[in-house]
């Protein structure tokens, strides 16, 4: 048991830089996966809402697949399995250009998009049908209605669950370490391996995760307050 | 039996109960009435401390309800309370609803509790429903079970907070019937109710409340026949039309 | 892909048993079930803390829940990997580490589910219990918790599904559950990763789809029970 905590040792040499690099990788992974998740998620939600039964069926399968299979398995699937499908030169190019980062980002983004899609669907269901009716009655097309009337309201209603998804996305980036991405958790392990100061290394990583998580939770709460539909739910 | 001494209560800045001084004698049936917002429900809920008071003293059977050393759970087990919303426990059968408190508070063993429960259920006309579940019963039946549940603790005093206000009109009678029987047997009762027929027939004293104070008290004959305060007169006129 | 399934069915289902510990799908389910069940006491305690009007209970309970919500499960696993042998005094199997990490993680999520269940009950239930003279704990134990836990069964089953997915992380510390088994197969075959991992994904897919159907069934059954329709009138 360490009776003397040696945080000082962590502050020397290349360790702070390692931590920082890990943190930046995590943040980059989070940001890009988030963009992918929300773009795809919103698109899927809108397509689902067109009412087309074929589209609904396909998206249901997409959602079920991404929600029932663990995130880690998705990452392994994309990293080990998908390159087999690609033509050799593409696979090689990917490999030499940081495929771990890219493919884990894709995996995490797509899984989250399934949850985003469902959260938005629930939010839209909470909007009175009169909203869409009024908009169409004014002559706005389906997509205009979605863009200007429905989605803005749905996004506001959905802020709490969407915020939760963002937090989960952020935490899930740690799984990328399973395929070698040197994000924050991996950096923590690296430092631990080098210094044998397990408690200190993990503590540093924990503090960083918690700080960002709390920032997200707090930021989310204030966002939720600010964008609440005045006098509404 | 119940004594209010200079009782005052505030909800924030709102003065909900103003200088309440009143006394309920043993065996007396008091009906509290008045317009909405007059504080009737608040008043009755302060007796067993479901709502706290900020000033004054309330004594039940000589015991200070708000005393520093009073054991509120012990006190409450000697006060029967019937809610407007019945509040039966849906996950327990009728029998279990009645025996829960006596068993948990070690007032009786299983056999005694069952016997007493069945006795009470018979008294309220629901002996055959002992093994039913609350959600299978009508509103009137549920409220009668609630009364039996409160009686199962053998309290010397029973409090009723608008017991028939949530019931469909055709079920009000069966509940009032039970309450009349209780009154006849000499139970000390305080009832908040809008049922003026019941008040006339059964009450010993009427307390009329408005805006947090007890404006007028009197026997039913006095109150209904010769109301003294203008607000009481107004109230009685309104409910007659 | 079907040949891979046929050749390796046993490995995927129960791991290397009897030539090794129970693994594969059996280990996954066992891990998830044991962890979630063990998380219940902690979950109930934390939930009670979260609904408590006393800050001395509310603050620590909330702190625990927020920390768990803010930290990735993987970090919990590494912390457990480090702490458990220290506390017990001797080296510990990966499975134990995983269970400890999962129990800590899941009790916080269970706590929030149970808390929602408690707060969804009408206030009158508590008032009725207290009015009869029952104290806070008696009211909780006999009236509030039984109803809350029953009403939240579908959510708790959903949490089980999440836990099943979370067991896949045990692969990272070498525990022989389903994902580990798939990786074993992949490292032997080497040239067919797509099929192996598709098979792995499909296994989880079918498993969790089944469990989700169970959740829907439970939700309907509980909905009926809550409105009193499911209980047949025994006597007239």
């Amino acid at each position: 048991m360490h009776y003397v905590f040696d945080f000082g040792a962590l502050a020397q040499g290349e360790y702070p830089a390692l931590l920082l690099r890990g943190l930046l990788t995590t943040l980059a992974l989070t940001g890009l996966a988030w963009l992918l998740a929300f773009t795809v998620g919103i698109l899927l939600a809108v397509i689902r809402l067109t009412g087309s039964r074929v589209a609904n069926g396909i998206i249901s399968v997409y959602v079920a697949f991404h929600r029932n299979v663990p995130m880690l398995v998705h990452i392994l699937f994309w990293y080990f399995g998908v390159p087999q499908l690609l033509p050799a030169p593409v696979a090689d190019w990917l490999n030499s250009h940081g495929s771990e980062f890219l493919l884990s980002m894709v995996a995490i983004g797509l899984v989250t998009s399934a949850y985003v899609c469902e959260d938005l669907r629930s939010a839209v269901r909470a909007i009175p049908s009169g909203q869409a009716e009024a908009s169409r009655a004014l002559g706005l097309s389906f997509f205009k209605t979605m863009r200007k009337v429905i989605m803005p309201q749905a996004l506001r209603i959905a802020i709490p669950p969407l915020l939760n998804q963002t937090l989960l996305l952020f935490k899930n980036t740690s799984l990328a370490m399973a395929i070698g991405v040197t994000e924050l958790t991996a950096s923590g392990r690296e430092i631990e391996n080098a210094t044998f100061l397990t408690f200190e290394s993990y503590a540093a990583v924990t503090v960083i995760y918690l700080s960002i998580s709390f920032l997200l939770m707090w930021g989310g709460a204030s966002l939720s307050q600010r964008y609440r539909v005045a006098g509404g739910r | 039996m119940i004594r209010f001494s200079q009782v005052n209560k505030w909800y924030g800045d709102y003065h909900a109960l103003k200088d309440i001084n009143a006394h309920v004698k043993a065996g007396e049936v008091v009906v509290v009435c008045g317009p909405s917002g007059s504080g009737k429900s608040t008043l009755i809920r302060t007796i067993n401390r479901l709502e706290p008071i900020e000033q004054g003293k309330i004594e039940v059977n000589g015991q200070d309800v708000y005393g520093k050393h009073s054991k509120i759970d012990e006190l409450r087990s000697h006060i029967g309370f019937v809610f407007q919303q019945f509040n039966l426990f849906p996950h327990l059968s009728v029998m279990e609803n009645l025996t829960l408190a006596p068993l948990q508070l070690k007032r009786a063993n299983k056999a005694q509790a069952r016997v007493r429960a069945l006795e009470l259920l018979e008294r309220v006309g629901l002996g055959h429903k002992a093994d039913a579940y609350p959600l299978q019963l009508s509103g009137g039946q549920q409220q009668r079970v609630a009364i039996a549940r409160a009686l199962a603790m053998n309290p010397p005093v029973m409090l009723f907070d608008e017991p028939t206000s949530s019931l469909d009109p055709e079920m009000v009678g069966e509940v009032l019937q039970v309450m009349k029987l209780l009154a006849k047997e000499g139970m000390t009762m305080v009832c908040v109710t809008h049922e003026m027929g019941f008040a006339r027939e059964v009450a010993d004293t009427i307390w009329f409340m408005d805006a947090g104070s007890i404006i007028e008290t009197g026997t039913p004959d006095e109150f209904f026949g010769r109301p003294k305060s203008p607000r009481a007169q107004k109230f009685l006129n309104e409910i007659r039309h | 892909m079907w040949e891979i399934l046929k050749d390796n069915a046993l490995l995927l289902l129960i791991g290397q048993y009897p030539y090794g510990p129970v693994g594969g799908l059996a280990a996954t389910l066992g891990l998830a079930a044991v962890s979630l069940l063990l998380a219940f006491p902690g979950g109930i305690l934390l939930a009670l803390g979260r609904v408590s009007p006393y800050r001395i209970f509310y603050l620590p309970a909330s702190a625990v829940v927020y920390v768990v919500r803010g930290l990735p499960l993987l970090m919990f696993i590494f912390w457990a990997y480090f702490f458990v042998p220290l506390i017990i005094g001797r080296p510990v199997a990966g499975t134990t580490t995983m269970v400890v990490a999962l129990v800590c993680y899941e009790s916080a999520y269970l706590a929030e589910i149970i808390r929602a269940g408690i707060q969804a009950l009408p206030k009158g239930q508590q008032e009725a219990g207290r009015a009869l003279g029952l104290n806070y704990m008696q009211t909780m134990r006999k009236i509030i918790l039984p109803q809350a836990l029953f009403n939240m069964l579908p959510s708790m089953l959903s949490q089980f599904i999440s836990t099943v997915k979370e067991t896949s992380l045990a692969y990272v510390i070498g525990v022989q559950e389903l994902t580990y088994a798939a990786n074993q197969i992949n490292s032997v075959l080497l040239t067919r990763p797509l099929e192996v991992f598709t098979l792995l994904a499909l296994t989880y897919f079918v498993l969790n789809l089944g469990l989700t159907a169970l959740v829907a069934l439970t939700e309907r059954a509980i909905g009926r029970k809550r409105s009193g329709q499911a209980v047949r009138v025994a006597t007239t």
Side-chain angles (χ1 to χ4, degrees), chain C residues 65-120:
Chain C
V65 170
Y66 277 116
V67 166
V68 171
R69 279 184 69 198
L71 205 58
L73 177 58
L74 205 50
M75 277 309 295
F76 271 97
I77 296 175
F78 290 139
W79 274 117
Y81 206 60
F82 166 63
F83 259 122
V84 175
L86 236 54
I87 297 178
I88 296 197
R90 54 182 171 79
V92 151
T95 316
T96 317
T97 308
M98 191 64 197
V99 169
V100 170
L102 273 177
V103 167
C104 294
Y105 198 70
E106 293 304 323
S107 37
Y109 283 96
L110 270 180
E112 291 300 273
I113 292 175
I114 298 172
R115 177 171 78 105
I118 292 175
Q119 291 175 329

Side-chain angles (χ1 to χ4, degrees), chain B residues 29-33 44 158-163 179 189-193 198:
Chain B
V29 175
V30 170
V31 166
V32 185
C33 64
I44 202 173
M158 286 283 281
L159 306 176
F160 294 83
D161 184 4
E162 303 212 31
M179 289 166 70
M189 291 163 61
V190 180
C191 311
V192 174
T193 183
F198 171 81

Side-chain angles (χ1 to χ4, degrees), chain A residues 53-63:
Chain A
R53 299 182 90 195
V54 172
N56 233 315
I58 299 176
I59 299 179
S60 296
V61 175
Y62 173 91
V63 167

Side-chain angles (χ1 to χ4, degrees), chain C residues 10 14-22 176:
Chain C
L10 224 56
I14 54 175
Q16 292 174 323
Y17 190 78
Y19 301 108
V22 176
Q176 295 182 19

Side-chain angles (χ1 to χ4, degrees), chain B residues 11 72 106 163 192 205 235 238:
Chain B
Y11 283 119
I72 188 59
K106 310 253 196 286
V192 174
T205 317
F235 176 70
E238 279 167 3

Side-chain angles (χ1 to χ4, degrees), chain B residues 51-81:
Chain B
E51 303 275 354
I53 59 171
E54 276 73 44
Q55 250 182 46
K57 193 155 127 172
I58 301 181
E59 287 163 294
V60 176
N61 233 347
Q63 308 215 358
D64 183 357
V65 176
Y66 292 86
K68 265 198 148 82
H69 302 288
S70 343
K71 295 186 153 179
I72 188 59
D73 299 315
E74 178 69 27
L75 276 166
R76 281 174 177 156
S77 66
H78 296 295
I79 303 173
F81 197 99

Side-chain angles (χ1 to χ4, degrees), chain C residues 167-178:
Chain C
T167 57
S168 59
L169 268 73
Y171 148 75
V172 173
I173 54 172
V175 174
Q176 295 182 19
E177 42 68 68
L178 187 59

